[in-house]
Amino acid sequence: MHVCYANRAAAYTQLGLFEEALRDAEVCKRLAESALTRDHRALSTFAKSFLRKGSALLGLKRHREASLVFQEGLKVDPFNLDIKQGLDQATNGMLKDLLEGKGRETLALPPALPVEQISYHPYSTPLHKIKVEGVLPSKLLTPQQAQRDHHIRDIYNYVTIQTDIRMPKRQISYLEDAYRHQKFAKAIRQAVANIESKDMECRVLNVGAGAGLYSLLALEAGAVHATAVERWLYLSLVCKEVLDANSTDKESYKVVYKRPTDLELKTDVPICCNLLICDILDEVEVWHFDLLNPPDSGNRKTIDFTFTRDGIFNGVMFWYELKLGEGITLSTGMTAVKEGLTSLRPAVQFTAGEMRIDKGLVLPLVCSHNTVRIRFDVEEAEYLHLVKQDASFPRMHYSILSDVSRADSYDQAIRNAVEKLKKRDGSVEALDLGAGSGLLSLMCARAGASVVGCEVHRTLADIARWSAARNKLSSKVSVVQGDIASLQRGREVCPYGVNLVVADIFDSGLLGGNFLGLLETARKRVLRPDAVVIPQSATVYCMGVEIKTRRVQGFDFSHINKYRWDDKHESVRLSELPHRSLTRPKKVFDYSFDGAGKARGKETMLKLDVVDDGELNAVAFWFDLNLGDDIKISSAPKYVGFEEVSDSVADCESNREGMESHCQSQGVNDTPSTSDRKEHHWGQIEWGGGASVENPHYQRVHYCQLLVQDFLVRCKSKRFPSVQEDMDIVQSHCGSLFLDPASLTDIGHELALLERLHSEGEPIAGVCLEGVTQAALQQH
């Protein structure tokens, strides 16, 4: 019967009876789906039902709905040419509707709640019933409630421990912000002097003390006592060590590991304080907050935005100015960033969708806060399309698409390879390993190849299909959502296999995306013996460096260096990292991707030429990618050329200076560049020596591992709510729970990605968490 309904829907469409065709297509889909459990041959009819439904919607001029239906159909049958052509028509129809002002989506905010005094939820509130959509909460959670409630207890504990582990490294980068410290140092000296001018002793309460810098500045300025309060365990240990190393009077300070709201006089704070130092800050004038009399209720106001140019409006950038003292202001705006502020930046909040804006348009913007969070909304508008939120989306793809020179290099290499293969084989069948947003697939299709893109992330696969339709290349590009190990000749690719492989799944450590393993799997299953691989080869280089924090604002902060160590490499941009090069760069490995070698590990022993005295505590390494025909991209520092690495810094040691008070060295990165080429990926740092932050509290980390294992088991069962529901509650109450917003965002992304990868059904052997959560490459 499902075949009959499919045929009748096609006949109705030809006759122009689109309502009847839509009705039959729905019935066909339902019957074919139920028949799949009995007969696998019903799969073709099930895929065809999406074609029939989409065609009927096209006839009804409902292009946006038709586009969604065709995209669902391509998930069932990625190679159906009729569905691809339908998606092209639907996409073009959507664009035409938008140009004519039709087909826009609207989203109205929920009714405004009356302004209420901010309070906390009652003790017995069931947290799983708390709704967080649309508005900022006026009743907040307490840390005690989060620890006690069994619905979010595990998530809260996991986030807390993971943030605790990450905070010392974040503090190291914060200590390098001399611009910010100079502002606070001036304000602290001014405040201490004002108190002393009234014949009073200055007693300091430093909330969010971090590594203890501002407590030291206050004691140096004349304060008689400083109580340093730090919410994070490892940071409080750092603070105690730093204060011990810089202060001779042990009675002049006290370090307390507690949340600020849990402090008690005498027990935690030995004396009444008359100077509060609080540097707990995250990233058009809307509000003025008097921090001497902080608000106890939320606020909501509407301001008029006047647009000064045409464009697409999809986000609000905001910043603040912080008055530290008389004539001392710290701004987080772009001017301060240009002047040297590094630890704070303007913040951006994206709107619910994209809006086309004309110059001179005035748009009301709703601004609200609940004392712990700020939010900006458009009360009611027509959007070109609404944004579908996906916490698991790999954010590195935004930077990949922003790297124009890198894309140009790949495009030229692909054009050259396709031209040669056409002369050799007559046609080009390409495979895009880790297709991502589909950029390389579109390049291959534009050059004349037929492309199969393989992408494990469902949202990215949808984006790749939509991009192909938007660029009218659907007939040449097919996107398979799944693991490379599931591809078969004669099914996803042609029976003879593919003769071109392209990939850009390299992190700044080269192998973090498991490229060698994926390429070996593809070679066994779908590649021809003489297939061309882009890139063709890679060369890895390394250099011994010293990266240490010594003195900050004149104080000894060397104790924090032991928290730099990690058993994994990290992505860095050497031009922004104070360091000293102690050895000459040297070649480490050569990797050839042409199939001559197996995907096995390598080990070698190097002798590095030392060029300067120092303490070697890290190895910086980078790589060159050979895309073919002398087209290369590299993650090397700018002073290193493609050819002779060992001779490229022969005279660098004469230009090197010592470490300054706030750890800003003039390292080899300041040597004039020998090449004008742009950087594409950033180098890696492999730490050696020191103590791991995990060692003192191994059981806390082991507890996190057990939570993740239990979480993955729950993902596979598909009987529990999404982790994002619990994370939404924690994120909406981030301020009252005293969590770090940046760390919370990263941890939530990792958990959402784990949930996505382990909910796909079959295990995905070729994917690792590190490969898909790698740090986003910076735009350059």
Side-chain angles (χ1 to χ4, degrees):
M1 289 300 295
H2 50 79
V3 176
C4 295
Y5 277 103
N7 293 336
R8 194 167 75 170
Y12 278 139
T13 302
Q14 293 295 324
L15 294 172
L17 303 175
F18 302 116
E19 292 286 356
E20 291 79 359
L22 180 62
R23 192 162 49 246
D24 277 4
E26 290 282 7
V27 177
C28 171
K29 178 184 175 183
R30 187 173 63 253
L31 294 177
E33 188 172 13
S34 63
L36 281 175
T37 58
R38 305 185 303 271
D39 186 1
H40 66 88
R41 291 175 295 180
L43 181 62
S44 61
T45 308
F46 181 60
K48 194 176 294 184
S49 68
F50 292 96
L51 173 63
R52 300 292 182 248
K53 182 177 179 180
S55 301
L57 291 171
L58 282 179
L60 295 171
K61 306 298 182 183
R62 291 156 63 176
H63 300 111
R64 189 180 298 275
E65 295 177 64
S67 174
L68 295 175
V69 170
F70 286 131
Q71 289 186 46
E72 290 296 318
L74 287 176
K75 293 178 183 178
V76 178
D77 186 359
F79 305 96
N80 192 305
L81 186 58
D82 292 331
I83 297 181
K84 290 181 180 181
Q85 293 174 348
L87 181 58
D88 286 346
Q89 295 177 25
T91 304
N92 293 333
M94 285 174 56
L95 296 176
K96 185 177 179 180
D97 287 345
L98 292 176
L99 290 175
E100 296 175 355
K102 304 176 184 176
R104 299 189 179 184
E105 298 180 277
T106 59
L107 177 68
L109 293 180
L113 299 175
V115 176
E116 299 180 1
Q117 185 173 359
I118 300 298
S119 60
Y120 292 100
H121 279 288
Y123 181 85
S124 59
T125 301
L127 301 190
H128 65 284
K129 294 186 177 180
I130 296 177
K131 303 299 181 184
V132 296
E133 299 88 356
V135 295
L136 296 177
S138 59
K139 292 186 180 295
L140 306 177
L141 290 180
T142 65
Q144 291 78 13
Q145 285 176 306
Q147 287 177 323
R148 187 185 62 254
D149 187 89
H150 69 278
H151 290 93
I152 67 170
R153 177 178 56 211
D154 288 344
I155 286 290
Y156 176 74
N157 289 337
Y158 179 84
V159 167
T160 300
I161 295 173
Q162 287 294 318
T163 304
D164 206 349
I165 294 171
R166 300 173 190 216
M167 288 305 290
K169 274 200 173 182
R170 294 196 58 200
Q171 188 71 14
I172 291 174
S173 60
Y174 161 78
L175 289 174
E176 296 167 359
D177 191 349
Y179 177 89
R180 181 176 181 176
H181 299 329
Q182 290 169 1
K183 294 276 189 180
F184 267 90
K186 185 177 179 180
I188 289 171
R189 288 193 293 267
Q190 183 186 93
V192 172
N194 290 340
I195 293 174
E196 290 179 339
S197 67
K198 301 176 183 178
D199 294 330
M200 294 188 297
E201 294 180 337
C202 181
R203 300 177 296 276
V204 175
L205 177 63
N206 186 8
V207 178
L213 174 60
Y214 296 154
S215 296
L216 286 172
L217 288 171
L219 292 172
E220 183 186 52
V224 297
H225 190 274
T227 302
V229 181
E230 178 51 54
R231 182 254 188 276
W232 302 108
L233 173 60
Y234 297 122
L235 271 184
S236 66
L237 295 176
V238 173
C239 184
K240 182 68 167 63
E241 293 174 340
V242 168
L243 287 170
D244 287 344
N246 289 275
S247 179
T248 57
D249 185 6
K250 307 300 182 184
E251 300 298 325
S252 63
Y253 60 86
K254 181 179 181 180
V255 179
V256 180
Y257 163 53
K258 269 192 175 182
R259 302 183 189 94
T261 53
D262 297 338
L263 293 177
E264 297 179 2
L265 189 61
K266 292 187 178 180
T267 303
D268 302 315
V269 185
I271 54 178
C272 292
C273 301
N274 52 12
L275 175 59
L276 173 65
I277 303 175
C278 183
D279 188 16
I280 309 178
L281 306 171
D282 51 13
E283 305 179 3
V284 106
E285 182 178 348
V286 182
W287 289 294
H288 172 77
F289 294 109
D290 184 0
L291 300 184
L292 295 177
N293 297 288
D296 60 358
S297 61
N299 194 3
R300 177 186 172 106
K301 63 190 302 186
T302 301
I303 61 173
D304 290 335
F305 255 17
T306 303
F307 292 89
T308 58
R309 65 178 65 181
D310 299 337
I312 302 296
F313 171 51
N314 69 335
V316 177
M317 183 175 75
F318 61 101
W319 60 95
Y320 56 82
E321 293 183 353
L322 196 64
K323 183 179 179 182
L324 303 177
E326 291 298 328
I328 306 173
T329 302
L330 176 65
S331 171
T332 63
M334 293 305 300
T335 301
V337 172
K338 292 178 181 178
E339 291 176 353
L341 182 67
T342 60
S343 59
L344 289 171
R345 291 287 193 275
V348 173
Q349 181 194 307
F350 291 98
T351 57
E354 295 182 349
M355 290 170 276
R356 185 175 297 281
I357 295 299
D358 297 323
K359 182 179 179 179
L361 176 68
V362 178
L363 184 69
L365 188 71
V366 179
C367 315
S368 55
H369 79 86
N370 65 345
T371 73
V372 294
R373 287 186 68 196
I374 296 176
R375 182 184 176 100
F376 298 90
D377 296 286
V378 179
E379 193 162 25
E380 188 172 356
E382 289 187 349
Y383 296 95
L384 298 178
H385 60 83
L386 295 175
V387 176
K388 181 180 178 181
Q389 297 184 2
D390 185 355
S392 70
F393 186 83
R395 291 163 290 177
M396 62 182 178
H397 287 279
Y398 294 116
S399 293
I400 292 175
L401 294 175
S402 300
D403 195 339
V404 178
S405 59
R406 172 176 162 191
D408 288 343
S409 299
Y410 264 98
D411 187 46
Q412 186 60 51
I414 288 172
R415 289 176 184 271
N416 295 346
V418 170
E419 183 179 355
K420 292 178 181 178
L421 287 173
K422 281 185 175 180
K423 293 178 180 179
R424 189 190 76 179
D425 300 335
S427 63
V428 182
E429 301 289 336
L431 173 64
D432 186 359
L433 281 178
S437 58
L439 177 61
L440 298 189
S441 296
L442 298 182
M443 290 179 180
C444 292
R446 183 173 60 185
S450 297
V451 192
V452 175
C454 186
E455 174 55 50
V456 70
H457 195 281
R458 187 176 296 277
T459 302
L460 278 173
D462 292 341
I463 291 174
R465 294 189 188 103
W466 185 87
S467 299
R470 180 74 180 267
N471 291 277
K472 300 181 180 180
L473 292 172
S474 291
S475 59
K476 295 183 177 181
V477 178
S478 302
V479 181
V480 178
Q481 191 268 318
D483 189 13
I484 186 66
S486 65
L487 297 183
Q488 293 183 11
R489 298 190 185 200
R491 193 178 67 181
E492 286 84 10
V493 301
C494 67
Y496 299 104
V498 299
N499 56 358
L500 174 63
V501 177
V502 295
D504 188 12
I505 56 175
F506 304 98
D507 67 344
S508 44
L510 182 64
L511 304 180
N514 193 26
F515 173 68
L516 292 180
L518 293 176
L519 181 61
E520 187 68 18
T521 301
R523 197 178 300 281
K524 293 177 180 178
R525 301 185 66 86
V526 296
L527 265 64
R528 301 181 193 177
D530 56 351
V532 174
V533 180
I534 299 177
Q536 296 179 357
S537 61
T539 305
V540 180
Y541 305 91
C542 76
M543 176 176 63
V545 295
E546 176 188 280
I547 304 176
K548 299 193 72 174
T549 299
R550 297 189 184 278
R551 304 193 70 82
V552 180
Q553 295 291 307
F555 299 106
D556 180 10
F557 272 79
S558 57
H559 288 80
I560 201 171
N561 286 305
K562 64 184 177 183
Y563 292 96
R564 289 184 181 273
W565 185 87
D566 199 348
D567 60 347
K568 301 174 184 175
H569 59 248
E570 62 181 84
S571 178
V572 299
R573 188 173 186 178
L574 287 176
S575 61
E576 298 177 356
L577 182 68
H579 70 282
R580 297 176 65 231
S581 299
L582 303 182
T583 73
R584 298 181 188 277
K586 196 161 188 176
K587 183 187 293 187
V588 183
F589 294 123
D590 280 314
Y591 291 95
S592 177
F593 306 139
D594 58 3
K598 298 289 185 179
R600 56 177 180 267
K602 291 186 178 182
E603 184 174 341
T604 187
M605 183 70 70
L606 294 179
K607 291 184 179 180
L608 298 177
D609 298 328
V610 178
V611 297
D612 199 1
D613 298 334
E615 300 178 20
L616 192 151
N617 69 331
V619 175
F621 64 101
W622 59 90
F623 61 87
D624 296 343
L625 276 183
N626 177 22
L627 304 182
D629 295 330
D630 295 326
I631 301 173
K632 296 182 179 180
I633 60 176
S634 176
S635 62
K638 289 186 177 181
Y639 60 83
V640 177
F642 279 121
E643 290 81 17
E644 293 296 331
V645 173
S646 296
D647 298 330
S648 60
V649 289
D651 300 321
C652 287
E653 58 268 24
S654 61
N655 298 323
R656 214 174 325 342
E657 298 179 5
M659 303 289 283
E660 297 182 359
S661 60
H662 37 76
C663 194
Q664 292 186 344
S665 64
Q666 301 295 325
V668 294
N669 240 34
D670 297 311
T671 308
S673 173
T674 61
S675 173
D676 294 331
R677 61 182 171 78
K678 297 182 179 180
E679 295 175 89
H680 296 271
H681 300 264
W682 307 123
Q684 291 286 341
I685 290 296
E686 188 79 35
W687 299 105
S692 169
V693 72
E694 301 175 355
N695 288 344
H697 297 275
Y698 171 79
Q699 291 302 325
R700 300 181 76 208
V701 180
H702 183 58
Y703 171 67
C704 288
Q705 294 171 347
L706 294 177
L707 286 178
V708 171
Q709 292 174 7
D710 179 66
F711 167 66
L712 296 182
V713 171
R714 292 194 303 171
C715 289
K716 295 176 181 178
S717 69
K718 298 183 179 181
R719 295 187 294 107
F720 295 89
S722 169
V723 68
Q724 193 58 38
E725 296 182 16
D726 294 338
M727 286 300 302
D728 286 342
I729 295 178
V730 174
Q731 288 176 327
S732 64
H733 297 269
C734 176
S736 62
L737 295 176
F738 298 100
L739 298 173
D740 179 64
S743 299
L744 185 59
T745 300
D746 292 340
I747 296 167
H749 170 61
E750 292 173 6
L751 290 176
L753 194 50
L754 275 174
E755 182 179 44
R756 171 64 67 90
L757 295 177
H758 286 78
S759 300
E760 295 292 343
E762 294 296 326
I764 304 175
V767 178
C768 58
L769 180 63
E770 291 78 8
V772 287
T773 59
Q774 54 189 280
L777 304 178
Q778 301 182 36
Q779 187 175 344
H780 36 270

